[in-house]
């Protein structure tokens, strides 16, 4: 959150899947940074709900697991890319900036879990 707040983004943080979906519904973020493993439900389930709420929300997945089937499934459900932990925060920052500032949105929001 510190990195993206310092980039000028309005950020939100969720400690579990239910909170993440409540934020998505109430705040309509442009981008979601979504961990594959989050308390309450897995990242794929949250991804499906996020896309059902608003298919235009951009989603970048984070995982500690290099499981190609989960990554492929996330991509099939609309995730733009994934980062495997541990990842370089500067690479994540560049990816988020590219996705948000490269588009036409006037509201730059990011949500992380």
């Amino acid at each position: 959150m510190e990195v993206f707040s310092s980039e000028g983004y309005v950020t939100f943080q969720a400690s579990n899947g239910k909170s993440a979906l409540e934020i998505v519904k109430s705040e309509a973020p442009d981008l979601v940074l979504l961990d594959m493993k989050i308390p309450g439900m897995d990242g794929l389930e949250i991804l499906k709900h996020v896309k059902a709420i608003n298919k235009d929300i951009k989603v970048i997945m984070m995982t500690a697991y290099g499981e190609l089937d989960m990554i492929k499934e996330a991509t099939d459900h609309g995730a733009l890319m994934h980062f495997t932990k541990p990842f370089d925060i500067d690479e994540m920052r560049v990816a988020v900036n590219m996705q948000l500032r490269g588009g036409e949105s006037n509201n730059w929001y990011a949500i992380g879990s």
Side-chain angles (χ1 to χ4, degrees), residues 22-72:
E22 287 172 3
I23 292 169
V24 167
K25 288 176 187 173
S26 66
E27 301 296 335
D30 294 311
L31 183 126
V32 174
L33 297 175
L34 181 58
D35 201 328
M36 197 70 85
K37 300 291 181 190
I38 182 172
M41 60 183 80
D42 71 31
L44 290 173
E45 187 178 351
I46 297 169
L47 172 62
K48 292 173 190 176
H49 286 291
V50 167
K51 289 298 186 173
I53 293 165
N54 181 344
K55 66 178 178 49
D56 295 325
I57 293 175
K58 298 171 191 249
V59 179
I60 296 175
M61 302 296 294
M62 299 175 291
T63 181
Y65 310 94
E67 298 173 346
L68 293 177
D69 55 337
M70 289 181 79
I71 293 167
K72 182 182 179 331

Side-chain angles (χ1 to χ4, degrees), residues 43-110:
L44 290 173
E45 187 178 351
I46 297 169
L47 172 62
K48 292 173 190 176
H49 286 291
V50 167
K51 289 298 186 173
I53 293 165
N54 181 344
K55 66 178 178 49
D56 295 325
I57 293 175
K58 298 171 191 249
V59 179
I60 296 175
M61 302 296 294
M62 299 175 291
T63 181
Y65 310 94
E67 298 173 346
L68 293 177
D69 55 337
M70 289 181 79
I71 293 167
K72 182 182 179 331
E73 189 173 351
T75 303
D76 290 346
H77 287 287
L80 297 172
M81 61 182 64
H82 76 279
F83 285 85
T84 303
K85 297 177 200 172
F87 52 82
D88 183 323
I89 192 64
D90 286 328
E91 289 179 14
M92 175 75 74
R93 184 182 51 77
V94 168
V96 168
N97 284 332
M98 181 184 70
Q99 291 299 326
L100 293 178
R101 294 188 176 157
E104 297 179 9
S105 176
N106 292 326
N107 298 316
W108 297 332
Y109 296 104

